[in-house]
């Protein structure tokens, strides 16, 4: 019932979403997933004439425009989808990559009360100077420049007031829409809408916590201790919290301004190598990386250093994953199709349904086209993109952490080639690949894995007699159970369970109506009678809500 009431509460927003989709020519999809019937029954009629102006737009552009019109949460969703190179083709990734967070800033007076609450004092009492005009504004926050009493320049990243409630409402609707899409549009199932929405919800909730962003920044700064080529702004924890992030201001040349880089006399080739080294170390050595290294988050500093900001979106790669990444890169560079296939079968979700022989043949044909190509001419980004295309053709998808990593590699290579047209991604990655492989097979690592394996084997051998005794004892006593799950029977059982729930609620509704009628008929004119009258009214209200829940539940099952 609570879920039903929540759906009714968000009905207005649901109408906005459906209206925008219809406006961009996705009326058929709205009908197929059942939104049209729900809104029309609710009295919120939609205009189904698709605008002719949208007819010339390609589907990726229409989706991007629709996401922009739907607001900040959906813009963020589009940016997450732009990382799923394993699910969408290059034309979709390129179009979704155009989504920008830039939105009109709020007047400072709108954010001042929240800022005072987070600082514990008026801003003028904390900072020697504060610019009320923001230097940037995005969907979740806006930033203001300030100076401390000692003259240190800092940046205040202030979360938009009330944004969490808006985001949570949109996330509820997205979760429900993903369920409807999977149930009503089987041809869209391969895009794994529920998995994508779940990943997006986790990512967005982490981005809303600015203190977590600062912890990410400090972790990466600690990983690069002793490396002067990267600058991560210092966090001022005395003023940082969930809704406020105070860090040092990074004064440098913005990433997109290559003309200023040339004017400063910096060596662009060296900058490309430094940037590649930073990202490769994050991914292959540390297993913790900046997952959104676009040019807007990069600054070039004197001494050919690189400043990195905005650690709201990060990726994590386990040690086992890093080994697999290295094996994949090594297999691509050395043209070993079998090694590449093994890694992809290990990664691919749904790999048990794939034809491994056909997959290996496709990988072999793909790798074979690079035979004889000099290492410096290999385009690692293009190779990884081709690999994900093969995955899509075989109905496989990557785990979210690996999709983020591949997107980071693609961004890195594109960024490196902007700085240096001759940028050699494969050559830059090779030392890190060799380093990880050597560390993997060093005597110390082999000894550690051997010791761990021996301990596990001994524990298993020690537990085996006891587990066998338990198994035999259960068999002798007739308590040996075998659980077999049949999907069709499970679905039938769920239908029976829902029917029983509705029947029970129907009985409760009838009891409430009868009981309330008796109570109200027995009410007289005294004070106790007014209490009985109120009790009867409450019973009728409860019966009405329960009846509404039953009707909606039956309607939703009918739509399935």
């Amino acid at each position: 019932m609570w879920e039903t009431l929540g759906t009714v509460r968000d009905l207005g927003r649901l109408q906005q979403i459906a209206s925008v989709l219809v406006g961009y020519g996705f009326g058929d999809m709205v009908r197929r997933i059942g939104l049209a019937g729900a809104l029309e029954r609710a009295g919120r009629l939609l205009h189904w004439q698709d605008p002719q102006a949208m007819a010339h737009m390609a589907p990726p552009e229409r989706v991007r425009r629709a996401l922009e019109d739907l607001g900040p949460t959906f813009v963020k969703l589009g940016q997450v989808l732009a990382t799923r190179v394993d699910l969408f083709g290059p034309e979709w990734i390129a179009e979704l990559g155009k989504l920008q967070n830039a939105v009109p800033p709020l007047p400072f007076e709108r954010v001042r009360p929240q800022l005072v609450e987070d600082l514990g004092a008026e801003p003028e009492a904390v900072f020697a100077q504060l610019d009320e005009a923001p230097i940037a504004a995005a969907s979740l926050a806006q930033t203001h420049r300030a100076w401390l009493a000692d003259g240190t320049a800092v940046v205040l990243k202030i979360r938009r007031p009330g944004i969490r409630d808006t985001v949570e409402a949109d996330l509820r609707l997205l979760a429900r829409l993903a369920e409807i899409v999977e149930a009503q549009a089987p041809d869209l199932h391969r895009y794994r809408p529920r998995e994508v929405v779940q990943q997006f919800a986790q990512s967005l909730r982490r981005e809303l916590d600015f203190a977590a962003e600062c912890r990410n920044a400090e972790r990466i700064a600690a990983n690069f201790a002793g490396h002067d080529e990267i600058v991560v702004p210092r966090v001022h924890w005395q003023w940082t919290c969930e809704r406020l992030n105070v860090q040092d201001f990074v004064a440098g040349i913005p990433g997109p301004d290559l003309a200023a880089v040339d004017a400063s006399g910096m060596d662009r080739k060296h900058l490309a190598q430094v940037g590649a080294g930073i990202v490769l170390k994050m991914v292959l050595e540390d297993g913790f990386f900046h997952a959104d290294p676009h040019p807007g988050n990069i600054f070039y500093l004197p001494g050919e250093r690189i400043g990195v900001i905005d650690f709201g979106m990060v990726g994590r790669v386990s040690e086992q994953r890093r080994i697999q990444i290295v094996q994949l890169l090594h297999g691509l560079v050395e043209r070993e199709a079998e090694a590449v296939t093994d890694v992809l079968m290990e990664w691919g979700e749904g790999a048990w349904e794939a034809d491994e022989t056909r997959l290996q043949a496709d990988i072999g044909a793909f790798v074979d086209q690079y035979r004889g190509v000099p290492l410096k001419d290999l385009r690692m980004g293009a190779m990884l993109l081709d690999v994900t295309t093969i995955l899509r053709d075989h109905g496989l998808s990557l785990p979210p952490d690996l999709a983020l990593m591949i997107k980071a590699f693609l961004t890195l290579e594109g960024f490196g080639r902007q700085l240096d047209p001759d940028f050699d991604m494969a050559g830059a990655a090779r030392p890190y690949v060799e380093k990880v492989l050597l560390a993997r097979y060093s005597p110390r690592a082999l000894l550690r894995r051997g010791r761990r394996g021996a301990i596990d084997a001994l524990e298993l051998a020690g537990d085996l007699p006891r587990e066998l005794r338990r198994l035999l004892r259960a068999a002798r006593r007739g308590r040996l159970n075998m659980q077999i799950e049949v999907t069709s029977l499970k679905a039938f059982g769920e239908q029976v369970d829902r029917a029983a729930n509705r029947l029970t609620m129907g009985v409760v509704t009838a009891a409430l109506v009868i009981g309330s009628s008796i109570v109200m008929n027995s009410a007289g004119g005294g004070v106790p009678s007014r209490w009985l009258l109120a009790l009867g009214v409450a019973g009728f209200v409860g019966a009405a809500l329960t009846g509404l829940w039953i009707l909606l539940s039956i309607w939703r099952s009918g739509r399935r």
Side-chain angles (χ1 to χ4, degrees):
M1 182 179 291
W2 183 253
E3 181 184 353
T4 300
L5 293 176
T7 303
V8 172
R9 173 184 55 181
D10 296 328
L11 199 57
R13 180 59 172 155
L14 198 62
Q15 183 200 14
Q16 294 175 1
I17 294 172
S19 298
V20 170
L21 291 177
V22 169
Y24 280 95
F26 298 105
D28 182 62
M29 186 179 75
V30 171
R31 287 191 185 96
R32 287 170 60 198
I33 64 179
L35 291 183
L39 293 171
E40 288 170 355
R41 286 178 177 82
R44 301 170 182 268
L45 300 179
L46 298 170
H47 302 288
W48 291 104
Q49 293 78 17
D50 293 342
Q52 294 298 318
M54 302 299 163
H56 70 281
M57 286 188 186
E61 184 181 0
R62 281 190 286 146
V63 168
R64 192 256 302 169
R65 294 275 297 273
L67 291 173
E68 288 176 338
D69 285 358
L70 286 170
T73 305
F74 290 84
V75 169
K76 284 286 186 182
L77 173 62
Q79 291 173 340
V80 169
L81 295 179
T83 69
R84 297 308 302 263
V85 293
D86 57 318
L87 296 180
F88 299 95
E91 68 280 4
W92 285 90
I93 297 300
E95 192 65 39
L96 293 173
K98 297 177 183 178
L99 286 166
Q100 298 296 324
N101 273 333
V103 297
L106 293 174
F108 187 73
E109 292 307 314
R110 288 275 304 278
V111 302
R112 174 184 279 274
Q114 178 180 295
L115 181 60
V116 170
E117 183 179 344
D118 292 337
L119 291 174
E122 293 291 333
E124 292 77 11
V126 176
F127 304 105
Q129 183 181 345
L130 172 63
D131 284 348
E132 294 188 358
I135 57 178
S139 55
L140 301 182
Q142 59 189 50
T143 54
H144 295 257
R145 193 172 180 184
W147 286 264
L148 304 180
D150 62 1
T152 302
V154 295
V155 170
L156 278 63
K157 184 176 180 180
I158 307 170
R159 198 171 78 186
R160 287 178 173 262
I163 191 66
R164 179 175 283 279
D165 293 338
T166 303
V167 167
E168 291 297 338
D170 283 343
L171 290 179
R172 285 194 301 271
L173 286 174
L174 280 172
R176 182 65 189 135
L177 285 173
E179 293 176 4
I180 295 173
V181 166
E182 287 207 352
Q184 301 295 332
D187 53 326
L188 298 179
H189 189 271
R190 67 182 300 271
Y191 294 103
R192 307 179 190 275
R194 283 201 288 186
E195 174 196 307
V196 169
V197 168
Q198 183 180 14
Q199 175 205 354
F200 167 64
Q202 293 173 348
S203 173
L204 188 53
R205 288 188 177 110
R206 282 196 295 263
E207 283 196 66
L208 285 171
D209 186 354
F210 292 171
E213 176 185 336
C214 289
R215 288 191 292 271
N216 293 337
E218 288 201 335
R219 178 174 174 180
I220 287 180
N223 290 339
F224 280 89
H227 293 259
D228 297 333
E229 67 272 15
I230 181 173
V231 174
V232 177
R234 179 182 46 156
V235 178
H236 296 271
W237 282 107
Q238 62 269 44
W239 301 302
T240 294
C241 60
E242 181 185 344
R243 301 184 302 187
L244 178 63
N245 172 354
V246 181
Q247 290 183 272
D248 283 350
F249 176 76
V250 177
I253 300 173
D257 194 354
L258 297 181
V261 173
D262 293 333
S264 69
M266 293 186 188
D267 185 347
R268 287 168 56 167
K269 290 181 178 290
H270 181 68
L271 285 174
Q273 291 297 323
V274 170
I278 289 172
V279 175
L280 290 168
K281 181 183 185 307
M282 287 181 187
V283 174
L284 299 181
E285 289 189 22
D286 305 330
F288 188 79
F289 62 95
H290 193 306
D292 193 22
H294 63 77
N297 291 333
I298 302 296
F299 293 88
Y300 303 118
L301 309 176
E304 295 178 334
R305 297 172 300 153
I306 294 181
V308 186
I309 64 170
D310 192 359
F311 296 88
M313 185 183 293
V314 295
R316 296 167 177 81
V317 186
S318 66
E319 181 180 358
Q320 182 61 31
R321 285 272 197 248
R322 294 201 298 274
I323 296 300
Q324 292 171 342
I325 292 167
V326 166
Q327 291 171 342
L328 175 69
L329 295 177
H330 187 266
L332 289 174
V333 170
E334 300 299 330
R335 292 86 167 176
E336 296 177 359
E338 187 174 351
V340 174
T341 305
D342 289 343
V343 175
L344 294 181
M345 291 296 292
E346 187 75 24
W347 283 358
E349 297 184 4
W352 61 88
E353 300 175 357
D355 185 341
E356 185 173 353
T357 302
R358 190 167 69 88
L359 177 62
Q360 185 165 342
D362 290 347
I363 292 290
F366 158 70
V367 170
D368 192 60
Q369 67 182 331
Y370 291 101
R371 290 192 182 278
V373 178
L375 183 63
K376 65 181 181 62
D377 292 335
L378 288 179
R379 299 294 182 261
M380 289 296 299
M383 293 177 73
L384 289 172
L385 204 56
D386 289 343
V387 167
T388 58
T389 300
I390 293 174
L391 284 177
R392 285 197 305 275
D393 292 343
H394 286 264
L396 303 178
S397 65
L398 293 173
D401 58 335
L402 291 172
L404 277 176
M405 183 273 299
I406 289 181
K407 178 64 175 177
F409 272 120
L410 293 174
T411 304
L412 168 63
E413 184 166 45
F415 192 43
R417 292 196 183 280
Q418 284 183 349
L419 287 168
D420 176 16
D422 298 324
F423 176 65
D424 178 9
M425 178 67 176
R430 192 162 201 166
Y432 293 90
V433 170
E434 293 174 350
K435 185 175 181 179
V436 172
L437 286 175
L438 288 174
R440 170 74 172 171
Y441 297 107
S442 68
R444 179 179 297 180
L446 291 173
L447 180 61
R448 183 176 65 251
R449 290 200 300 276
R451 183 169 59 246
R452 187 166 58 236
I455 292 173
D456 291 342
L458 289 173
E459 289 180 350
L460 178 62
D463 292 340
L464 188 59
R466 183 170 63 254
E467 297 299 332
L468 285 175
R469 280 198 301 271
R470 289 179 179 175
L471 182 64
L472 293 173
R473 190 181 301 121
R476 284 197 301 268
R477 294 178 179 177
R479 296 180 181 177
L480 185 62
N481 298 322
M482 181 176 296
Q483 183 175 351
I484 301 176
E485 184 173 311
V486 181
T487 306
S488 58
L489 291 180
K490 182 180 178 182
F492 175 73
E494 291 174 351
Q495 290 178 353
V496 172
D497 185 55
R498 285 196 296 269
N501 287 340
R502 292 174 197 146
L503 180 61
T504 303
M505 295 298 285
V507 173
V508 170
T509 302
L512 284 172
V513 171
I514 295 171
S516 299
S517 300
I518 295 173
V519 168
M520 294 187 74
N521 285 331
S522 64
V527 174
S529 300
R530 287 200 295 271
W531 283 104
L532 289 174
L533 184 63
L535 182 61
V537 171
F540 278 121
V541 171
L545 291 175
T546 307
L548 176 64
W549 176 83
I550 294 173
L551 290 174
L552 286 175
S553 178
I554 293 172
W555 174 80
R556 285 162 58 186
S557 295
R559 297 300 300 176
R560 293 193 182 98

